[in-house]
Short mmCIF file of all heavy atoms in Angstrom, two decimals:
data_model
loop_
_atom_site.label_atom_id
_atom_site.label_comp_id
_atom_site.label_asym_id
_atom_site.label_seq_id
_atom_site.Cartn_x
_atom_site.Cartn_y
_atom_site.Cartn_z
N GLY A 253 -16.99 76.24 217.12
CA GLY A 253 -18.19 75.57 216.69
C GLY A 253 -18.72 75.85 215.30
O GLY A 253 -19.68 75.26 214.87
N ARG A 254 -18.06 76.73 214.54
CA ARG A 254 -18.51 77.05 213.17
C ARG A 254 -18.17 75.90 212.24
O ARG A 254 -17.16 75.19 212.43
CB ARG A 254 -17.82 78.28 212.62
CG ARG A 254 -17.86 79.46 213.54
CD ARG A 254 -19.24 79.90 213.79
NE ARG A 254 -19.14 81.16 214.45
CZ ARG A 254 -20.11 82.12 214.44
NH1 ARG A 254 -21.22 81.82 213.87
NH2 ARG A 254 -19.92 83.23 215.04
N ARG A 255 -18.98 75.76 211.22
CA ARG A 255 -18.80 74.70 210.25
C ARG A 255 -18.23 75.30 208.97
O ARG A 255 -18.89 76.14 208.33
CB ARG A 255 -20.12 74.06 209.92
CG ARG A 255 -20.79 73.41 211.18
CD ARG A 255 -22.17 73.14 210.82
NE ARG A 255 -22.81 72.38 211.89
CZ ARG A 255 -24.00 71.74 211.71
NH1 ARG A 255 -24.63 71.88 210.56
NH2 ARG A 255 -24.52 71.09 212.69
N VAL A 256 -17.00 74.91 208.63
CA VAL A 256 -16.31 75.57 207.56
C VAL A 256 -15.95 74.50 206.48
O VAL A 256 -15.36 73.48 206.80
CB VAL A 256 -15.04 76.26 208.06
CG1 VAL A 256 -14.34 76.95 206.90
CG2 VAL A 256 -15.40 77.29 209.14
N ILE A 257 -16.24 74.78 205.20
CA ILE A 257 -15.71 73.97 204.17
C ILE A 257 -14.46 74.65 203.60
O ILE A 257 -14.48 75.87 203.38
CB ILE A 257 -16.69 73.88 202.95
CG1 ILE A 257 -18.08 73.36 203.39
CG2 ILE A 257 -16.12 73.02 201.86
CD1 ILE A 257 -19.12 73.42 202.28
N VAL A 258 -13.39 73.87 203.46
CA VAL A 258 -12.24 74.40 202.79
C VAL A 258 -12.25 73.71 201.36
O VAL A 258 -12.10 72.51 201.30
CB VAL A 258 -10.90 74.12 203.54
CG1 VAL A 258 -9.70 74.49 202.67
CG2 VAL A 258 -10.94 74.85 204.84
N GLY A 259 -12.41 74.48 200.35
CA GLY A 259 -12.44 73.98 198.99
C GLY A 259 -11.02 74.25 198.43
O GLY A 259 -10.60 75.40 198.30
N VAL A 260 -10.30 73.18 198.11
CA VAL A 260 -8.92 73.32 197.72
C VAL A 260 -8.80 73.31 196.16
O VAL A 260 -9.29 72.42 195.50
CB VAL A 260 -8.07 72.15 198.31
CG1 VAL A 260 -6.57 72.40 198.01
CG2 VAL A 260 -8.29 72.06 199.80
N GLY A 261 -8.09 74.33 195.67
CA GLY A 261 -7.90 74.42 194.18
C GLY A 261 -6.50 73.84 193.82
O GLY A 261 -5.65 73.61 194.68
N GLY A 262 -6.33 73.70 192.54
CA GLY A 262 -5.08 73.06 192.02
C GLY A 262 -3.99 74.09 191.77
O GLY A 262 -3.85 74.55 190.60
N GLY A 263 -3.22 74.46 192.77
CA GLY A 263 -2.15 75.38 192.57
C GLY A 263 -1.06 74.96 193.58
O GLY A 263 -1.34 74.23 194.52
N ILE A 264 0.12 75.48 193.40
CA ILE A 264 1.22 75.09 194.29
C ILE A 264 0.94 75.45 195.73
O ILE A 264 1.34 74.79 196.68
CB ILE A 264 2.56 75.65 193.78
CG1 ILE A 264 3.72 75.22 194.66
CG2 ILE A 264 2.55 77.19 193.66
CD1 ILE A 264 3.95 73.70 194.64
N ALA A 265 0.12 76.48 195.95
CA ALA A 265 -0.23 76.88 197.30
C ALA A 265 -1.16 75.94 197.97
O ALA A 265 -1.52 76.18 199.17
CB ALA A 265 -0.86 78.35 197.32
N ALA A 266 -1.63 74.88 197.29
CA ALA A 266 -2.53 73.90 197.92
C ALA A 266 -1.96 73.37 199.25
O ALA A 266 -2.71 73.07 200.20
CB ALA A 266 -2.82 72.77 196.96
N TYR A 267 -0.63 73.25 199.34
CA TYR A 267 -0.05 72.66 200.56
C TYR A 267 -0.34 73.58 201.73
O TYR A 267 -0.45 73.11 202.91
CB TYR A 267 1.46 72.41 200.40
CG TYR A 267 2.36 73.63 200.47
CD1 TYR A 267 2.95 73.99 201.68
CD2 TYR A 267 2.57 74.44 199.39
CE1 TYR A 267 3.77 75.11 201.78
CE2 TYR A 267 3.42 75.53 199.42
CZ TYR A 267 3.95 75.88 200.62
OH TYR A 267 4.74 76.98 200.69
N LYS A 268 -0.55 74.87 201.48
CA LYS A 268 -0.84 75.78 202.61
C LYS A 268 -2.28 75.60 203.12
O LYS A 268 -2.59 76.01 204.24
CB LYS A 268 -0.62 77.27 202.20
CG LYS A 268 0.85 77.62 202.01
CD LYS A 268 1.04 79.08 202.08
CE LYS A 268 2.44 79.46 201.73
NZ LYS A 268 2.57 80.86 201.37
N ALA A 269 -3.11 74.97 202.28
CA ALA A 269 -4.48 74.67 202.72
C ALA A 269 -4.42 73.68 203.88
O ALA A 269 -5.30 73.64 204.71
CB ALA A 269 -5.32 74.18 201.59
N CYS A 270 -3.38 72.82 203.91
CA CYS A 270 -3.25 71.84 204.99
C CYS A 270 -3.11 72.58 206.34
O CYS A 270 -3.81 72.28 207.33
CB CYS A 270 -1.94 71.00 204.81
SG CYS A 270 -1.99 70.02 203.31
N GLU A 271 -2.25 73.61 206.32
CA GLU A 271 -2.03 74.36 207.54
C GLU A 271 -3.30 75.12 207.94
O GLU A 271 -3.67 75.24 209.08
CB GLU A 271 -0.94 75.34 207.30
CG GLU A 271 -0.24 75.84 208.55
CD GLU A 271 0.84 76.88 208.17
OE1 GLU A 271 1.47 76.75 207.07
OE2 GLU A 271 0.98 77.79 208.96
N LEU A 272 -4.03 75.62 206.88
CA LEU A 272 -5.27 76.34 207.14
C LEU A 272 -6.28 75.41 207.88
O LEU A 272 -6.93 75.83 208.84
CB LEU A 272 -5.85 76.91 205.88
CG LEU A 272 -7.21 77.60 206.05
CD1 LEU A 272 -7.06 78.90 206.83
CD2 LEU A 272 -7.84 77.90 204.67
N VAL A 273 -6.40 74.24 207.33
CA VAL A 273 -7.40 73.30 207.97
C VAL A 273 -7.02 73.05 209.43
O VAL A 273 -7.89 73.07 210.30
CB VAL A 273 -7.38 71.95 207.15
CG1 VAL A 273 -8.18 70.81 207.94
CG2 VAL A 273 -8.00 72.16 205.81
N ARG A 274 -5.74 72.89 209.68
CA ARG A 274 -5.29 72.65 211.06
C ARG A 274 -5.58 73.85 211.97
O ARG A 274 -6.06 73.76 213.05
CB ARG A 274 -3.80 72.30 211.08
CG ARG A 274 -3.46 71.34 212.18
CD ARG A 274 -1.96 71.11 212.21
NE ARG A 274 -1.23 72.39 212.11
CZ ARG A 274 0.04 72.53 211.93
NH1 ARG A 274 0.76 71.43 211.78
NH2 ARG A 274 0.64 73.70 211.89
N GLU A 275 -5.28 75.06 211.41
CA GLU A 275 -5.45 76.31 212.25
C GLU A 275 -6.96 76.56 212.50
O GLU A 275 -7.30 76.96 213.58
CB GLU A 275 -4.83 77.43 211.54
CG GLU A 275 -3.30 77.48 211.55
CD GLU A 275 -2.73 77.33 212.94
OE1 GLU A 275 -3.22 78.03 213.88
OE2 GLU A 275 -1.80 76.50 213.12
N LEU A 276 -7.77 76.29 211.53
CA LEU A 276 -9.22 76.49 211.72
C LEU A 276 -9.70 75.51 212.80
O LEU A 276 -10.47 75.89 213.70
CB LEU A 276 -10.00 76.23 210.44
CG LEU A 276 -9.86 77.23 209.36
CD1 LEU A 276 -10.42 76.72 208.03
CD2 LEU A 276 -10.48 78.57 209.68
N GLY A 277 -9.20 74.30 212.80
CA GLY A 277 -9.54 73.30 213.81
C GLY A 277 -9.09 73.72 215.18
O GLY A 277 -9.81 73.66 216.16
N ARG A 278 -7.91 74.32 215.23
CA ARG A 278 -7.38 74.79 216.55
C ARG A 278 -8.23 75.93 217.06
O ARG A 278 -8.36 76.10 218.27
CB ARG A 278 -5.96 75.32 216.36
CG ARG A 278 -4.94 74.20 216.32
CD ARG A 278 -3.58 74.77 216.61
NE ARG A 278 -2.64 73.70 216.52
CZ ARG A 278 -1.45 73.75 215.99
NH1 ARG A 278 -1.02 74.92 215.52
NH2 ARG A 278 -0.67 72.76 215.98
N ALA A 279 -8.82 76.71 216.16
CA ALA A 279 -9.64 77.83 216.60
C ALA A 279 -11.06 77.35 216.96
O ALA A 279 -11.93 78.24 217.27
CB ALA A 279 -9.70 78.92 215.51
N GLY A 280 -11.28 76.06 216.91
CA GLY A 280 -12.57 75.52 217.34
C GLY A 280 -13.54 75.25 216.25
O GLY A 280 -14.70 74.82 216.55
N ALA A 281 -13.19 75.47 214.96
CA ALA A 281 -14.12 75.26 213.87
C ALA A 281 -14.17 73.78 213.55
O ALA A 281 -13.22 73.04 213.79
CB ALA A 281 -13.70 76.09 212.64
N GLN A 282 -15.33 73.39 213.00
CA GLN A 282 -15.44 72.01 212.48
C GLN A 282 -15.14 72.20 210.94
O GLN A 282 -15.78 73.03 210.29
CB GLN A 282 -16.82 71.42 212.56
CG GLN A 282 -17.33 71.36 214.00
CD GLN A 282 -18.80 70.96 213.97
OE1 GLN A 282 -19.12 69.94 213.36
NE2 GLN A 282 -19.63 71.66 214.66
N VAL A 283 -14.20 71.42 210.40
CA VAL A 283 -13.74 71.64 209.02
C VAL A 283 -14.02 70.38 208.17
O VAL A 283 -13.72 69.23 208.59
CB VAL A 283 -12.27 72.03 208.96
CG1 VAL A 283 -11.86 72.39 207.53
CG2 VAL A 283 -12.00 73.17 209.94
N ARG A 284 -14.52 70.61 206.97
CA ARG A 284 -14.57 69.55 206.01
C ARG A 284 -13.95 70.04 204.67
O ARG A 284 -14.05 71.28 204.44
CB ARG A 284 -15.99 69.08 205.73
CG ARG A 284 -16.58 68.30 206.93
CD ARG A 284 -17.89 67.72 206.59
NE ARG A 284 -18.40 66.93 207.66
CZ ARG A 284 -18.56 65.60 207.59
NH1 ARG A 284 -18.22 64.95 206.54
NH2 ARG A 284 -19.09 64.93 208.65
N VAL A 285 -13.40 69.15 203.92
CA VAL A 285 -12.59 69.60 202.75
C VAL A 285 -13.19 69.03 201.47
O VAL A 285 -13.62 67.89 201.41
CB VAL A 285 -11.14 69.11 202.93
CG1 VAL A 285 -10.29 69.50 201.70
CG2 VAL A 285 -10.55 69.74 204.18
N ALA A 286 -13.25 69.88 200.39
CA ALA A 286 -13.55 69.45 199.07
C ALA A 286 -12.37 69.79 198.22
O ALA A 286 -11.66 70.79 198.48
CB ALA A 286 -14.81 70.13 198.55
N MET A 287 -12.03 68.98 197.20
CA MET A 287 -10.86 69.25 196.39
C MET A 287 -11.30 69.15 194.91
O MET A 287 -12.08 68.33 194.52
CB MET A 287 -9.76 68.19 196.62
CG MET A 287 -9.26 68.15 198.04
SD MET A 287 -8.08 66.83 198.29
CE MET A 287 -6.64 67.53 197.52
N THR A 288 -10.59 69.99 194.12
CA THR A 288 -10.78 69.82 192.65
C THR A 288 -9.82 68.69 192.22
O THR A 288 -8.95 68.31 192.98
CB THR A 288 -10.29 71.10 191.86
OG1 THR A 288 -8.90 71.36 192.11
CG2 THR A 288 -11.12 72.35 192.35
N ALA A 289 -10.01 68.22 191.00
CA ALA A 289 -9.17 67.16 190.48
C ALA A 289 -7.71 67.62 190.49
O ALA A 289 -6.78 66.91 190.80
CB ALA A 289 -9.63 66.70 189.10
N ALA A 290 -7.52 68.91 190.06
CA ALA A 290 -6.17 69.42 189.94
C ALA A 290 -5.51 69.54 191.31
O ALA A 290 -4.31 69.35 191.45
CB ALA A 290 -6.23 70.81 189.24
N ALA A 291 -6.31 69.81 192.35
CA ALA A 291 -5.74 69.92 193.68
C ALA A 291 -5.08 68.63 194.10
O ALA A 291 -4.05 68.60 194.84
CB ALA A 291 -6.82 70.31 194.69
N LYS A 292 -5.67 67.49 193.70
CA LYS A 292 -5.15 66.21 194.06
C LYS A 292 -3.77 65.94 193.47
O LYS A 292 -3.05 65.07 193.94
CB LYS A 292 -6.10 65.07 193.61
CG LYS A 292 -7.39 65.09 194.39
CD LYS A 292 -8.14 63.72 194.13
CE LYS A 292 -8.72 63.68 192.77
NZ LYS A 292 -9.50 62.48 192.51
N GLU A 293 -3.40 66.74 192.44
CA GLU A 293 -1.99 66.59 191.85
C GLU A 293 -0.99 67.23 192.83
O GLU A 293 0.19 66.99 192.69
CB GLU A 293 -1.95 67.33 190.51
CG GLU A 293 -2.93 66.77 189.47
CD GLU A 293 -2.61 65.35 189.02
OE1 GLU A 293 -1.42 65.02 189.04
OE2 GLU A 293 -3.56 64.57 188.76
N PHE A 294 -1.47 68.04 193.73
CA PHE A 294 -0.53 68.73 194.65
C PHE A 294 -0.53 68.14 196.05
O PHE A 294 0.56 68.05 196.64
CB PHE A 294 -0.90 70.21 194.75
CG PHE A 294 -0.65 70.96 193.43
CD1 PHE A 294 -1.67 71.02 192.51
CD2 PHE A 294 0.57 71.55 193.17
CE1 PHE A 294 -1.45 71.72 191.29
CE2 PHE A 294 0.82 72.20 191.97
CZ PHE A 294 -0.21 72.27 191.03
N VAL A 295 -1.66 67.79 196.57
CA VAL A 295 -1.79 67.21 197.91
C VAL A 295 -2.77 66.05 197.87
O VAL A 295 -3.79 66.16 197.11
CB VAL A 295 -2.32 68.27 198.94
CG1 VAL A 295 -2.30 67.69 200.35
CG2 VAL A 295 -1.50 69.51 198.93
N THR A 296 -2.53 64.98 198.61
CA THR A 296 -3.46 63.87 198.54
C THR A 296 -4.69 64.11 199.44
O THR A 296 -4.55 64.72 200.51
CB THR A 296 -2.84 62.53 199.00
OG1 THR A 296 -2.55 62.63 200.39
CG2 THR A 296 -1.54 62.23 198.23
N PRO A 297 -5.83 63.54 199.02
CA PRO A 297 -7.01 63.66 199.88
C PRO A 297 -6.79 63.10 201.28
O PRO A 297 -7.34 63.59 202.27
CB PRO A 297 -8.10 62.83 199.14
CG PRO A 297 -7.64 62.87 197.72
CD PRO A 297 -6.13 62.90 197.73
N LEU A 298 -5.94 62.06 201.32
CA LEU A 298 -5.67 61.38 202.65
C LEU A 298 -5.10 62.39 203.63
O LEU A 298 -5.41 62.36 204.84
CB LEU A 298 -4.66 60.27 202.41
CG LEU A 298 -4.66 59.19 203.48
CD1 LEU A 298 -6.01 58.60 203.71
CD2 LEU A 298 -3.64 58.13 203.11
N THR A 299 -4.23 63.32 203.16
CA THR A 299 -3.69 64.33 204.03
C THR A 299 -4.77 65.17 204.64
O THR A 299 -4.83 65.37 205.89
CB THR A 299 -2.71 65.23 203.25
OG1 THR A 299 -1.76 64.43 202.64
CG2 THR A 299 -2.02 66.27 204.15
N PHE A 300 -5.72 65.63 203.83
CA PHE A 300 -6.79 66.42 204.36
C PHE A 300 -7.74 65.64 205.23
O PHE A 300 -8.34 66.17 206.13
CB PHE A 300 -7.57 67.08 203.19
CG PHE A 300 -6.78 68.25 202.58
CD1 PHE A 300 -6.28 68.19 201.26
CD2 PHE A 300 -6.55 69.42 203.30
CE1 PHE A 300 -5.58 69.26 200.75
CE2 PHE A 300 -5.83 70.47 202.79
CZ PHE A 300 -5.35 70.37 201.47
N GLN A 301 -7.90 64.37 204.89
CA GLN A 301 -8.80 63.52 205.72
C GLN A 301 -8.19 63.42 207.11
O GLN A 301 -8.94 63.55 208.14
CB GLN A 301 -8.94 62.14 205.08
CG GLN A 301 -9.75 61.18 205.97
CD GLN A 301 -10.17 59.98 205.26
OE1 GLN A 301 -10.36 59.97 204.03
NE2 GLN A 301 -10.41 58.88 205.97
N ALA A 302 -6.87 63.25 207.14
CA ALA A 302 -6.23 63.09 208.49
C ALA A 302 -6.31 64.44 209.27
O ALA A 302 -6.58 64.48 210.47
CB ALA A 302 -4.80 62.70 208.31
N LEU A 303 -6.11 65.53 208.55
CA LEU A 303 -6.16 66.86 209.27
C LEU A 303 -7.51 67.30 209.70
O LEU A 303 -7.66 67.94 210.71
CB LEU A 303 -5.53 67.94 208.32
CG LEU A 303 -4.02 67.82 208.06
CD1 LEU A 303 -3.56 68.77 207.00
CD2 LEU A 303 -3.28 68.12 209.35
N SER A 304 -8.51 66.96 208.86
CA SER A 304 -9.88 67.41 209.18
C SER A 304 -10.64 66.38 210.02
O SER A 304 -11.68 66.69 210.63
CB SER A 304 -10.64 67.74 207.92
OG SER A 304 -10.95 66.57 207.20
N GLY A 305 -10.22 65.13 209.97
CA GLY A 305 -10.90 64.08 210.70
C GLY A 305 -12.17 63.62 210.03
O GLY A 305 -13.00 62.89 210.60
#
Side-chain angles (χ1 to χ4, degrees):
R254 309 298 192 158
R255 300 165 171 193
V256 181
I257 303 174
V258 174
V260 186
I264 183 63
Y267 78 94
K268 291 199 185 161
C270 299
E271 203 185 324
L272 177 67
V273 169
R274 212 184 47 191
E275 289 305 316
L276 289 168
R278 280 199 183 141
Q282 304 175 48
V283 186
R284 288 187 178 247
V285 177
M287 299 175 78
T288 64
K292 290 195 289 182
E293 302 292 327
F294 293 90
V295 185
T296 67
L298 199 58
T299 305
F300 285 113
Q301 176 165 332
L303 289 170
S304 67

